[in-house]
Amino acid sequence: MHVFTHMSINLCIIIALCISFFVQYGLDIQPCVLCTYQRYGYFFALILAYVSPILCSIVFFVIAGIAGFHVGSILNLWGNVVACDVIINTASSIDVLKTSLMASNITTCATDITSLILASGNVLFATGLGLYSVSGILKKFF
């Protein structure tokens, strides 16, 4: 891949990560599990952009798939599958269990329009980055 392609892909990844951190820390909207998985994908793609452009392209399409699943989960097409990730400890009584469950922080995107907009945008963004990186790979051969 051309150096400009590497730099522009890395710039787009950094922009995506900055947006996600701004939403989390600036707007105080906590990420759900699927948001976090997408973020991990971008970190992974940042490393793979120079190591293996083909794997980087695959990671972008995986991120787009996770984001698409996220949109479906927000729209309740298959239910909010990953919202109930509470770890139940070994409680000695019902009261201790209830207190533990009430104190746990469950983040869900099921009712948040901001999450729907961000996840939908991420489907397009990650797909675009995947196609752009594939085009950079194909330019090398043609």
Side-chain angles (χ1 to χ4, degrees), residues 4 20 97 121 131:
F4 177 74
S20 70
L97 178 62
L131 292 173

Side-chain angles (χ1 to χ4, degrees), residues 29-82:
I29 299 174
Q30 295 303 311
C32 71
V33 175
L34 291 174
C35 298
T36 306
Y37 290 161
Q38 293 168 67
R39 193 177 292 179
Y40 290 156
Y42 280 116
F43 279 119
F44 196 54
L46 190 62
I47 295 167
L48 289 177
Y50 288 103
V51 178
S52 175
I54 295 171
L55 288 177
C56 183
S57 301
I58 293 170
V59 168
F60 286 133
F61 291 121
V62 169
I63 294 169
I66 294 170
F69 182 79
H70 195 183
V71 170
S73 181
I74 293 169
L75 294 174
N76 206 18
L77 296 178
W78 36 77
N80 201 349
V81 181
V82 293

Side-chain angles (χ1 to χ4, degrees), residues 85-91 97 100-101:
D85 57 315
V86 179
I87 300 171
I88 298 180
N89 59 5
T90 54
L97 178 62
S100 172
L101 288 174

Side-chain angles (χ1 to χ4, degrees), residues 6 42 52 62-63 69 73 93 95 103 114-115 118-119 123-126:
H6 286 297
Y42 280 116
S52 175
V62 169
I63 294 169
F69 182 79
S73 181
S93 70
D95 292 328
T114 307
S115 298
L118 290 171
V123 171
L124 299 174
F125 189 71

